[in-house]
Amino acid sequence: MATPAASIQTKTSSESADNFIKGLWRENPVFVALLGMCPVLAVTNSAINALAIGAASTFVMVLSSTIVSLAQKLIPKQVRIASYILIIATFVTVTEYVLQALSYEVHKALGAFIALIVVNCMILGRAEAFASRNNLRQSVLDALGMGVGFTVACLSLGTVREVLGNGTLFGFQVFGPEFEPWIVMILPPGAFFVLGMWLLLFNWVKHRKEAAE
Amino acid sequence: MTTASSMSIFLNAALINNFVLAMFLGICPFLGVSSKVDTALRMGGAVTFVMLVSSICAYGINKALIFIGAPYLQLIAYIVVIASSVQLVEMIIKKFSPALFRALGIFLPLITTNCAILGVALFQTAKQYDFVQSLSYAAGAGVGFIIALVLMAGMRERLELSSVSSVVQGAAVTLILAGILSMAFMGFAGMAS
């Protein structure tokens, strides 16, 4: 027989797990909520760029959710959005300088899209909808889950585009030398097509499941 | 300092490197408010206006930040300027044209998180445009945004009337349409000299 304390603990731990996991699939910011689409489409022309933008966004989201959650009682309701944007902008500036020091190549490839993380509606959305009204632990888990979900989505675009458009994956040759690359995949239209195809695939799976039930 | 003429900067931002279809800035309103031509036009007009105002402010701020030697404040300063110019535009429209204010509704405050506007400010700084070049860049970006939004809205109005398989409906078909539109805009690449 479970003691009351133990049952409370299992409840909170399952809640924590749920807050982390929902960002990966059920409430995936890209595939389900269609948030933060600009960087997803713009810089996923190779897998390494996709990984970098995903990691940078996750880093900003976790840190800004931490601060927003800690300061939720200090921020007046009227100026909360402006305060959140300032918190996010600070961490984006930090990220930009760190990335420049770590890898100048990746920084150059991502260009202004690192700075544009500030206006990623996914991050502001999580700060407003979750971190401002939940405790630190849950907010960090939520931000981490959403960030990992975002990174997975970026990678699923980046890998397809790099393999088809360049014949490589993370810079390594995948096909033989006679492979003719689909140039359109690394050009802007390719981003729309690949994301459209992923959404189509998910729709199709969902329809199959509903039809089976 | 680049020496490109205002006209070529304008055409470059509006057509060749269209802000929405080639640089992927402002995708959220592009997918969100492009279901009717009418709202698309109004939204485009408001965005263009905020772009011009924040472009002028960003030019001045960049000069001031370089003068006091604090370029790391650039991003924070820009976002504050954009948020306040959106607020300013909101107040001006409310005062002089209450009808337009009601028509724009929720779209006005949402312009703050439109990455195309921050994009204009960041790119004009990165390309070291002077005042006139910055203005024509902002105007070109705004016109490009309107063109993309209105074209997309026209296509989606037609889509409503045609029978689409239920598997493809919604975001999937919109994105594939956007891909075809983007492919058409690739044709302008030949105009760049």
Side-chain angles (χ1 to χ4, degrees):
Chain A
M1 209 175 102
T3 58
S7 75
I8 287 170
Q9 202 166 16
T10 34
K11 188 175 163 257
T12 47
S13 73
S14 77
E15 193 189 328
S16 309
D18 186 57
N19 276 334
F20 178 71
I21 288 169
K22 73 173 192 286
L24 300 184
W25 177 251
R26 190 160 35 87
E27 290 180 25
N28 186 296
V30 176
F31 291 133
V32 178
L34 294 178
L35 287 177
M37 303 290 278
C38 304
V40 175
L41 293 168
V43 287
T44 52
N45 50 9
S46 75
I48 189 78
N49 286 355
L51 194 63
I53 194 77
S57 306
T58 308
F59 177 74
V60 171
M61 189 146 64
V62 169
L63 287 182
S64 51
S65 278
T66 307
I67 299 290
V68 167
S69 175
L70 287 176
Q72 55 180 273
K73 296 220 167 60
L74 299 175
I75 299 175
K77 205 165 185 292
Q78 294 82 357
V79 292
R80 65 184 197 285
I81 299 288
S83 321
Y84 299 159
I85 289 189
L86 278 183
I87 292 168
I88 295 168
T90 313
F91 286 117
V92 171
T93 310
V94 171
T95 313
E96 194 175 1
Y97 280 85
V98 168
L99 193 66
Q100 204 166 5
L102 284 180
S103 164
Y104 186 63
E105 286 300 304
V106 174
H107 181 265
K108 226 167 76 181
L110 296 183
F113 279 94
I114 293 288
L116 286 171
I117 294 177
V118 177
V119 283
N120 191 328
C121 26
M122 170 185 76
I123 297 176
L124 189 63
R126 291 331 286 176
E128 160 76 2
F130 199 94
S132 65
R133 56 191 69 157
N134 283 283
N135 64 24
L136 178 63
R137 190 183 139 87
Q138 303 299 337
S139 304
V140 168
L141 279 173
D142 172 75
L144 208 59
M146 285 290 163
V148 173
F150 181 76
T151 311
V152 168
C154 283
L155 267 178
S156 61
L157 254 81
T159 45
V160 171
R161 287 180 73 190
E162 193 183 342
V163 166
L164 292 179
N166 208 14
T168 58
L169 186 61
F170 287 105
F172 298 106
Q173 285 288 336
V174 176
F175 300 112
E178 63 273 9
F179 174 71
E180 188 68 45
W182 306 10
I183 301 292
V184 71
M185 282 300 163
I186 45 174
L187 293 177
F192 286 118
F193 288 140
V194 174
L195 185 57
M197 289 302 166
W198 276 115
L199 291 177
L200 211 155
L201 185 72
F202 293 147
N203 265 354
W204 183 69
V205 171
K206 215 170 88 187
H207 271 255
R208 283 273 304 253
K209 244 167 119 182
E210 274 166 17
E213 271 167 15
Chain B
M1 194 71 72
T2 44
T3 51
S5 76
S6 307
M7 194 59 200
S8 73
I9 289 174
F10 178 85
L11 280 180
N12 187 38
L15 297 176
I16 302 161
N17 283 316
N18 185 286
F19 253 61
V20 178
L21 295 166
M23 309 205 358
F24 300 113
L25 296 168
I27 294 288
C28 299
F30 177 65
L31 296 177
V33 290
S34 65
S35 47
K36 283 206 175 68
V37 173
D38 192 37
T39 30
L41 260 179
R42 287 209 188 103
M43 178 71 182
V47 165
T48 310
F49 188 76
V50 178
M51 258 179 196
L52 285 170
V53 174
S54 56
S55 162
I56 295 169
C57 298
Y59 181 79
I61 282 178
N62 190 42
K63 283 271 177 287
L65 284 181
I66 288 173
F67 183 72
I68 62 166
Y72 52 84
L73 283 179
Q74 192 192 53
L75 192 57
I76 297 177
Y78 280 3
I79 197 77
V80 171
V81 159
I82 291 171
S84 27
S85 57
V86 169
Q87 200 81 63
L88 184 77
V89 168
E90 206 175 332
M91 278 171 356
I92 294 174
I93 295 182
K94 199 175 183 179
K95 176 90 180 149
F96 289 105
S97 169
L100 182 61
F101 181 77
R102 271 196 301 277
L104 283 172
I106 182 72
F107 299 142
L108 265 177
L110 279 183
I111 295 174
T112 316
T113 49
N114 185 334
C115 46
I117 292 170
L118 186 62
V120 168
L122 288 171
F123 283 120
Q124 76 178 28
T125 318
K127 292 180 177 175
Q128 299 189 315
Y129 284 154
D130 65 23
F131 186 69
V132 179
Q133 285 172 325
S134 300
L135 262 188
S136 48
Y137 189 63
V143 170
F145 185 77
I146 297 178
I147 294 175
L149 218 63
V150 169
L151 280 177
M152 194 65 199
M155 280 156 76
R156 282 178 78 172
E157 279 187 354
R158 294 295 293 268
L159 200 65
E160 295 261 298
L161 301 173
S162 51
S163 66
V164 181
S165 159
S166 63
V167 179
V168 199
Q169 249 168 14
V173 72
T174 313
L175 278 162
I176 292 167
L177 265 184
I180 296 170
L181 194 60
S182 163
M183 229 158 152
F185 267 72
M186 298 292 297
F188 287 117
M191 280 169 61
S193 52

